[in-house]
Amino acid sequence: MTPRQFFFAPIVLPRYNRRNDQKFLVGAASHKVSGMTAGVRSQASPSIIVSSPIVTGSRGPRHFGSFVCRDQRLACAYLPAISLRGLNRVFAAFVYLGFAVRRIRAGDGVVFYNYFPEYVPAALFLRWRLGRDKVVMDLEDGPRADEKTLRGYVNRLSLRLMSRVCSPRAIVVSQQLAEVMRIDDACVVNGVSPDTQPQRAAFGKPVTFLYGGSIESGTGLDLFAAALRELALTRPELGPRMHFVVTGYGGGAELSLLSQELAVQGFRLDVRQDIGPDEYQRILARADVGLSLRLPGDVLNATTFPSKVIELASNGLLLLTTDISDISLLFDGDTAAILPEANPVLLAKQLAAIAADPPRYERIAAAGQQRIVEQCSRHSVGRRLVEFLGTTPVLNT
């Protein structure tokens, strides 16, 4: 029988929300896992997403049942999940193990998205059934010694256990992370873009800037706020030519105050954080510039990569980003707007430059989109993954 590749990840895709009448986040992790799965499938290698989603944000039900479906044309096995924080992880451990025992056969392969503690029982069983080399981690971030909470200790323990159980080879989110974690045999997947990109029209009037994801100090909240205040102070005439939209989650109080403050000075900042994935896609389609403002000195940002930049660039937005992780390996000044340092004055100047000369930055956005098509398309990533994981049905062709 043809071996199959299972991707274990606690994610949500659109079909899950429609089935359960929810608005759970379909974020960068979900897009990456679905892209990797589709990439492997594009190489004629069967691939399946297995998810016990994190549903602690549920506004009603405490229990979500299992179902199997095709979500975005991908085979998905959604396992049962509960919304009781803490207990949800224990529950997920049992359902992942149960699935592994019942459904995964000798010759298959498994990729675990990161090193969540609920994976450990299934990983132990699968090492015995499949062998260590067929059980691989996809490392999206490294351990944080500064995280002194219970969650931090549990995550570090889980990583130690998973590292001993899984293959020493790993898929990693960046070359920098591979070096930090001393992984000699690594397949770098910064992110995955669709093979066919939308054709973007000229920048709008006003130019729309999108800032989303996890909004906090380490991901640029303070930098963003200070830059907009600087912009309003030094270039007030640009107010009618610029529109800022914030999605994601976090920083609500600060952003609301900033929006009111900027409105007085003629700048428009819309905070749209209580939205579902469909509405987010509409906002993304209307935006011209995507911001990724992770701080180079932040501990978390030193051990991960902002996969959202792949989503932004692949959708044809101009990427405006700080220079962290593998950014300079993927982009340059001809394919993105890269800040030399995370400084609000420099960010304000770059925002003003884009609003003042849209045609120049439209060309940079188009070049950035083409770069990501070449480097991170599903087909390209799938080919690398199949070679790395050894899941090709016919190996000698």
Side-chain angles (χ1 to χ4, degrees), residues 154-170:
V154 170
N155 283 343
R156 288 190 291 276
L157 175 61
S158 175
L159 176 59
R160 287 195 206 100
L161 293 172
M162 292 288 288
S163 297
R164 293 181 180 181
V165 172
C166 297
S167 172
R169 307 162 69 241

Side-chain angles (χ1 to χ4, degrees), residues 292-305:
S292 176
L293 301 177
R294 290 177 178 266
L295 303 185
D298 186 80
V299 175
L300 173 61
N301 296 335
T303 59
T304 190
F305 177 83

Side-chain angles (χ1 to χ4, degrees), residues 260-321:
Q260 296 172 30
E261 183 181 325
L262 291 173
V264 175
Q265 298 169 299
F267 286 81
R268 182 181 171 194
L269 169 62
D270 287 335
V271 182
R272 303 287 301 280
Q273 294 188 307
D274 187 21
I275 58 173
D278 293 339
E279 178 63 18
Y280 173 73
Q281 287 300 319
R282 288 191 285 271
I283 292 172
L284 185 67
R286 291 194 294 265
D288 304 302
V289 184
L291 278 61
S292 176
L293 301 177
R294 290 177 178 266
L295 303 185
D298 186 80
V299 175
L300 173 61
N301 296 335
T303 59
T304 190
F305 177 83
S307 295
K308 181 170 284 290
V309 305
I310 307 299
E311 176 189 61
L312 297 171
S314 69
N315 277 277
L317 280 71
L318 171 69
L319 176 64
L320 171 50
T321 179

Side-chain angles (χ1 to χ4, degrees), residues 140-142 173-174 176-177 294 300-306 324-325:
E140 294 301 303
D141 53 69
V173 75
S174 69
Q176 182 188 59
L177 181 59
R294 290 177 178 266
L300 173 61
N301 296 335
T303 59
T304 190
F305 177 83
I324 72 162
S325 191

Side-chain angles (χ1 to χ4, degrees), residues 8-10 50-54 79-82 84 86-102 104 112 115-126 154 158 161-162:
F8 278 49
V50 181
S51 176
S52 177
I54 297 175
L79 306 180
I82 61 174
L84 299 175
L87 289 178
N88 66 312
R89 299 281 191 177
V90 177
F91 184 83
F94 283 103
V95 297
Y96 279 128
L97 176 60
F99 181 90
V101 171
R102 294 191 310 272
I104 298 179
F112 287 104
Y115 44 89
F116 299 111
E118 57 264 40
Y119 294 152
V120 172
L124 286 165
F125 171 78
L126 290 169
V154 170
S158 175
L161 293 172
M162 292 288 288

